[in-house]
Amino acid sequence: MKAKIQILFFGFLLLLFTNSIFAQTEDKETIEINAKIELEKVSRNIINALRYGRFLLADTEWRKIQSDVYKSYPEYDYLNGSLLYSRMEWQEAKESLNKALKKEPNHEAASFLLGMIYAQEDSWAEAKDTWMETNQISPYNPFYHYNLGLAYFILKDYNNAIVSLNKSLEYKANYNEAKLILAKTYLELNETEKAKVELSTILEQDPKHIQASHLMGRVVYLLEKDPKKSLTYLKNQRVLGWREKKIYARCYFEIRKWRDAENLLRPIAYSPFADEYDQSFYLNLLLNLGYDERANDFFHFIQKQSQNESKIAEAYRMLLSSREGKDLLYHYFKLRY
């Protein structure tokens, strides 16, 4: 009898112990499930807040997930990287995004944002390599292909730029930004007719598209040598690229609007990458305007320049291209400053 009582007692203890283990396991699973649900909700709120520039809301939501239960998830590191990105704290943001990618190599949003940081740092080769990985993770996103194509364009890898931009247009047929960079690429390859086709489709959809209009004026001058017609496409001189400034300055010169031509060409003529044609053209403008002293000063200025082996010229051109590229990138988030 006593033995039976002992067996029943030990059985009862075993049952209590087993139930305790199951309860702990169930509690742990419940905590993890609730943490995932909360993290997903907060993640949506933070991303939407950053997209619309509601930075105070993003910071408030971020404070909700500071307990240790959230910090093991790659999404936590991605959100941290996104907030740091919005503050332009590039190095810290990269570290956080790399943590997310180490935990989850196929985290496409972290990969894409990492490429954005490299672009912001003027490291376009690294941006290109990162976005190649992003496109392997998510091969059907037109915005990923677009940014990759833009990186190729800035790096002067024009054939690959065409491939990536056409991929972007395959998944988003009326993506005018992709058509614009494609037109720029064709112009760099002297395929002017192809550039005209892309620009025509943009202006058919959006006649007020300033950048497409400016490029079309350049195309018209190259194909038809008609300065008056070309100038009808000029909408805003302040946002002209340096290549377009050269063309429109020439157009103004040919219709004898020399002051307008001089105003456009001046920053080009004094830049490190001005060629001999730019310099002689600008000198001619100054003389036509009767600016003899300025012409003399400019002549002495160009005598001091060593144009042939100028690393500064290439660096300057790259920085200008990079600045233009940052404006044309597909930005998922706004920046605070």
Side-chain angles (χ1 to χ4, degrees):
M1 183 69 179
K2 187 175 181 181
K4 287 183 179 180
I5 292 173
Q6 286 180 337
I7 291 171
L8 288 172
F9 178 71
F10 283 120
F12 178 70
L13 288 177
L14 180 62
L15 181 63
L16 285 175
F17 181 70
T18 304
N19 287 339
S20 176
I21 292 174
F22 284 142
Q24 290 178 12
T25 303
E26 187 175 346
D27 287 344
K28 186 178 179 181
E29 289 178 354
T30 302
I31 290 170
E32 288 180 351
I33 290 170
N34 290 336
K36 285 182 179 180
I37 293 172
E38 179 67 10
L39 187 59
E40 287 177 5
K41 182 179 76 172
V42 170
S43 177
R44 286 194 301 271
N45 292 340
I46 289 176
I47 298 307
N48 287 330
L50 291 176
R51 291 186 70 181
Y52 294 102
R54 301 176 66 186
F55 302 117
L56 182 60
L57 174 60
D59 292 337
T60 301
E61 290 293 313
W62 173 245
R63 287 194 286 271
K64 293 179 180 179
I65 53 172
Q66 293 311 298
S67 65
D68 290 340
V69 68
Y70 301 108
K71 294 182 180 180
S72 62
Y73 293 101
E75 190 68 13
Y76 176 89
D77 295 305
Y78 165 65
L79 292 173
N80 187 38
S82 300
L83 289 162
L84 290 165
Y85 173 85
S86 74
R87 299 188 191 104
M88 300 171 66
E89 297 176 19
W90 309 133
Q91 186 56 40
E92 295 83 354
K94 280 193 291 187
E95 291 171 2
S96 194
L97 293 170
N98 278 317
K99 280 185 185 177
L101 288 166
K102 189 173 181 180
K103 293 175 183 176
E104 186 182 332
N106 288 332
H107 199 302
E108 64 178 85
S111 178
F112 175 75
L113 193 57
L114 184 60
M116 288 294 293
I117 295 173
Y118 284 126
Q120 296 288 358
E121 293 179 326
D122 301 312
S123 300
W124 288 91
E126 288 82 356
K128 180 259 298 180
D129 291 341
T130 304
W131 285 329
M132 287 177 68
E133 294 176 5
T134 309
N135 278 284
Q136 289 177 351
I137 298 169
S138 180
Y140 305 111
N141 189 312
F143 305 111
Y144 296 169
H145 287 290
Y146 167 76
N147 274 13
L148 178 59
L150 180 56
Y152 278 127
F153 172 78
I154 290 170
L155 293 168
K156 300 183 180 180
D157 187 349
Y158 299 127
N159 290 328
N160 277 321
I162 291 170
V163 171
S164 290
L165 293 166
N166 278 321
K167 273 286 182 185
S168 178
L169 289 166
E170 183 180 333
Y171 302 124
K172 184 175 169 61
N174 293 322
Y175 194 5
N176 284 341
E177 285 76 8
K179 292 180 181 180
L180 181 73
I181 305 302
L182 192 55
K184 284 175 173 281
T185 305
Y186 285 135
L187 282 171
E188 291 302 312
L189 294 171
N190 294 318
E191 297 183 18
T192 314
E193 290 287 356
K194 289 184 178 180
K196 185 178 181 180
V197 170
E198 299 299 334
L199 294 170
S200 296
T201 60
I202 296 174
L203 293 172
E204 284 173 7
Q205 294 177 41
D206 183 6
K208 295 182 179 180
H209 197 294
I210 291 178
Q211 291 170 315
S213 184
H214 287 166
L215 279 180
M216 183 60 89
R218 178 178 163 192
V219 165
V220 166
Y221 184 79
L222 292 172
L223 291 175
E224 303 178 29
K225 302 300 180 187
D226 185 338
K228 288 185 178 180
K229 184 177 179 181
S230 181
L231 284 166
T232 62
Y233 290 94
L234 178 56
K235 306 299 182 186
N236 187 346
Q237 292 187 10
R238 294 181 180 180
V239 296
L240 281 175
W242 64 272
R243 296 171 180 83
E244 285 70 56
K245 283 182 179 178
K246 287 188 177 189
I247 292 291
Y248 286 112
R250 187 73 199 178
C251 291
Y252 278 130
F253 178 79
E254 291 184 12
I255 63 171
R256 301 178 69 82
K257 289 190 174 183
W258 295 330
R259 290 183 187 276
D260 291 321
E262 189 273 334
N263 183 54
L264 271 183
L265 196 61
R266 189 188 312 128
I268 304 299
Y270 278 96
S271 70
F273 56 84
D275 56 31
E276 290 183 3
Y277 173 81
D278 299 326
Q279 292 170 342
S280 61
F281 180 26
Y282 186 65
L283 193 60
N284 189 23
L285 276 171
L286 293 175
L287 292 171
N288 282 338
L289 287 165
Y291 297 157
D292 293 352
E293 289 187 13
R294 286 175 59 181
N296 187 52
D297 290 340
F298 181 69
F299 176 73
H300 288 296
F301 168 79
I302 60 179
Q303 276 191 320
K304 296 177 183 178
Q305 304 303 304
S306 57
Q307 296 294 325
N308 293 330
E309 297 178 355
S310 176
K311 293 182 179 179
I312 296 176
E314 186 57 35
Y316 187 30
R317 185 184 283 114
M318 181 63 190
L319 286 172
L320 284 177
S321 296
S322 183
R323 185 179 67 182
E324 181 184 19
K326 291 173 191 175
D327 293 336
L328 294 170
L329 279 169
Y330 170 74
H331 288 266
Y332 193 62
F333 298 141
K334 293 180 181 290
L335 298 176
R336 297 180 191 229
Y337 309 110

